[in-house]
Amino acid sequence: MEGAAQWYLADPEATTEWGMALAPCLEAGLVLTFSGDLGAGKTALIRGILRGLGVTGTIRSPTYALLEIYELSRLYCYHFDFYRINNPESLEDSGFRECFRSDSLCFVEWPEKVSAWLPPADLALTLEPVGTGRLLQVRQASAQGMKCLEPLLAPSLPR
Ligand SMILES: Nc1ncnc2c1ncn2[C@@H]1O[C@H](COP(=O)(O)OP(=O)(O)OP(=O)(O)O)[C@@H](O)[C@H]1O
Ligand SMILES: [Mg+2]
């Protein structure tokens, strides 16, 4: 079960808005991966999603901490950044595996760094600079991923 869709995000506000629009479609148990070069907008997009989920305080990039945790009334959110990981074996004793549960929502930047270790994604998002904005490509990699993107695929929404 696979599908793909893309959006052009003209400026940082469009990135935030897209993330906020996705937020209400997300449910516990999903894994979302975010690919793209340094500065592509992965963290910016995840910030939009977290705002849409109701996070009000500072949303830090997990660049150095590897993981930032948000406990919302509805669910636990784990935001990972694996840029600095060079071998997935170093994660074996980290306990990070236990973050991927049916009652949690996981956002993973730099999934390529740990692909041998990472559970399969439901949505695989890729950001790429195009012009002054970003091209966002979203691959729905599971039935749950298909379902949660559905509301954003309505033909009435600008693409
Ligand atoms: N649609 C857009 N158009 C233009 N600029 C954007 C857009 N979305 C985000 N940006 C800008 O791009 C930068 C993205 O930085 P961000 O930290 O999100 O990148 P990142 O992909 O997480 O990088 P890293 O791999 O270092 O974690 C920010 O300065 C943000 O304002
Ligand atoms: Mg980042």
Side-chain angles (χ1 to χ4, degrees):
M1 169 94 50
E2 282 225 3
Q6 61 180 43
W7 285 263
Y8 184 68
L9 308 173
D11 51 33
E13 290 70 39
T15 301
T16 305
E17 278 163 26
W18 196 94
M20 290 188 73
L22 180 68
C25 311
L26 297 177
E27 54 184 41
L30 292 174
V31 176
L32 278 63
T33 58
F34 296 79
S35 300
D37 283 342
L38 291 168
K42 302 180 292 296
T43 300
L45 185 53
I46 295 167
R47 273 199 187 102
I49 298 173
L50 288 168
R51 285 277 175 251
L53 288 171
V55 175
T56 51
T58 309
I59 298 175
R60 288 185 195 83
S61 171
T63 307
Y64 296 103
L66 295 182
L67 171 64
E68 294 288 339
I69 300 174
Y70 303 89
E71 194 181 338
L72 301 173
S73 57
R74 227 161 45 99
L75 76 177
Y76 283 92
C77 294
Y78 298 99
H79 176 187
F80 292 96
D81 183 338
F82 290 124
Y83 180 68
R84 295 186 311 134
I85 300 295
N86 286 317
N87 81 38
E89 291 90 71
S90 63
L91 294 177
E92 286 314 325
D93 298 324
S94 64
F96 286 167
R97 256 302 172 151
E98 285 129 58
C99 296
F100 295 82
R101 301 185 307 268
S102 59
D103 70 339
S104 70
L105 183 51
C106 291
F107 306 121
V108 182
E109 294 185 49
W110 293 100
E112 302 77 10
K113 294 273 189 168
V114 297
S115 54
W117 173 89
L118 197 66
D122 296 292
L123 290 179
L125 297 86
T126 303
L127 285 152
E128 185 194 337
V130 170
T132 54
R134 301 288 188 271
L135 181 67
L136 168 65
Q137 305 197 60
V138 185
R139 187 168 56 84
Q140 300 128 288
S142 74
Q144 293 94 311
M146 293 283 262
K147 183 168 150 259
C148 84
L149 205 64
E150 244 167 47
L152 274 74
L153 295 173
S156 60
L157 292 177
R159 192 74 59 80

